[in-house]
Amino acid sequence: MASLLDPSARGRVILVGAGPGDPGLLTVRAVEALKSADIVVHDGLIDRRVLDIAPASAQRISVAKQRARHTLPQDAINALIVAHVKTGAIVVRLKGGDPFIFGRGGEEVEAVRAAGLPVEVIPGVSAALGCAAEAMLPLTHRDHSSAVSFVAGQCKGLTDQDWSGLAGKGRTLVIYMGVATASDIADKLMRDGVAPEMPVAVLERGTLSGSRAIRTLLADLGSMVDREKVASPAIIVVGEVVDLSDAEDKLGRWARISESVA
């Protein structure tokens, strides 16, 4: 069976992971897919240099999503993709990070297959992996963490989500889309038994210009996000591995300032 990337195969969808931001983290196969595109349906945070890889003749359609405000609802995005494929176009659905990690890639694959159309998925470097690597933060470590979990911090009914056992000694928890609910997340984890002094890092704009990696203790997470005016995109990492990273210790900085004033 010929690859869906065969230029002679028309009318198909290629879900492409664009990685955490830096165009240098695109896979070779992702670049090949972009160069073949007639239509690029892309997320809002995709770097312009990534979009420029597609032919100048390719139509670029933004379906940017922000908290509580979407350019198009997901059903409409699905319908848009299917409609263009039915014209015989090669549609690249370009997603930040990896399509199958909080990217709704599974929903889009289902919609395309339900329409009887071919679809391929090209994985990307997820935000967790890319941002952690930049901050020299190992998500697993033989001495500190033998398990890592990914959760979404922006889900409806956050307090009802069962995160028990995902954070704590010997484990790493990575929270996507958690900046706006950072205080609630910290309270939730501490109620579930995670120690208030557990190290936590916030990795803001990872791999992009202006990126920051800052850390504190779990009990101070919400306050640090407010003090430092952290903005999306950012991920939160909870676990002992945070202490191994290059993230700046913001709580320690404030403690030193207080001591000097005293």
Side-chain angles (χ1 to χ4, degrees):
M1 181 177 177
S3 167
L4 291 175
L5 290 178
D6 181 347
S8 65
R10 306 295 305 173
R12 66 191 191 275
V13 182
I14 311 172
L15 270 65
V16 175
D22 183 348
L25 295 177
L26 283 170
T27 65
V28 171
R29 199 168 187 191
V31 171
E32 291 173 350
L34 279 166
K35 288 181 177 179
S36 74
D38 299 312
I39 308 285
V40 180
V41 179
H42 64 90
D43 289 349
L45 296 176
I46 303 297
D47 192 289
R48 173 55 58 181
R49 292 169 292 173
V50 174
L51 293 175
D52 286 345
I53 294 171
S57 59
Q59 182 181 359
R60 291 151 173 83
I61 303 173
S62 173
V63 290
K65 291 185 177 74
Q66 296 179 19
R67 183 175 172 85
R69 189 171 72 254
H70 294 178
T71 303
L72 288 175
Q74 188 61 51
D75 287 347
I77 294 173
N78 297 346
L80 174 72
I81 293 169
V82 168
H84 279 292
V85 175
K86 286 183 175 179
T87 69
I90 299 172
V91 177
V92 168
R93 175 64 174 105
L94 190 61
K95 293 175 167 291
D98 180 272
F100 281 174
I101 299 183
F102 302 122
R104 299 192 179 183
E107 296 174 45
E108 292 174 4
V109 166
E110 287 180 301
V112 174
R113 284 183 163 176
L117 300 168
V119 58
E120 179 179 6
V121 178
I122 298 176
V125 176
S126 71
L129 301 183
C131 298
E134 182 180 60
M136 294 295 178
L137 197 167
L139 296 179
T140 64
H141 190 288
R142 285 198 302 168
D143 296 331
H144 303 284
S145 176
S146 60
V148 58
S149 301
F150 301 147
V151 298
Q154 196 172 298
C155 290
K156 292 180 181 179
L158 176 63
T159 56
D160 297 328
Q161 298 293 314
D162 183 7
W163 292 0
S164 59
L166 299 184
K169 187 172 180 61
R171 288 157 284 170
T172 304
L173 180 63
V174 180
I175 304 163
Y176 286 67
M177 302 169 286
V179 169
T181 55
S183 291
D184 293 335
I185 287 169
D187 290 343
K188 175 182 176 61
L189 290 173
M190 288 186 289
R191 282 197 305 270
D192 287 345
V194 181
E197 64 271 20
M198 178 64 70
V200 57
V202 177
L203 310 180
E204 181 184 26
R205 291 184 56 82
T207 80
L208 296 168
S209 62
S211 65
R212 284 196 297 172
I214 55 180
R215 63 186 173 96
T216 186
L217 303 179
L218 182 59
D220 182 53
L221 174 60
S223 297
M224 183 187 75
V225 166
D226 290 339
R227 286 196 311 268
E228 298 297 325
K229 297 179 171 57
V230 176
S232 295
I235 63 169
I236 298 168
V237 182
V238 182
E240 296 171 340
V241 289
V242 167
D243 282 340
L244 304 176
S245 74
D246 289 345
E248 182 182 357
D249 182 0
K250 289 296 184 178
L251 189 61
R253 175 177 175 272
W254 281 105
R256 290 190 295 274
I257 291 174
S258 297
E259 290 175 0
S260 64
V261 170

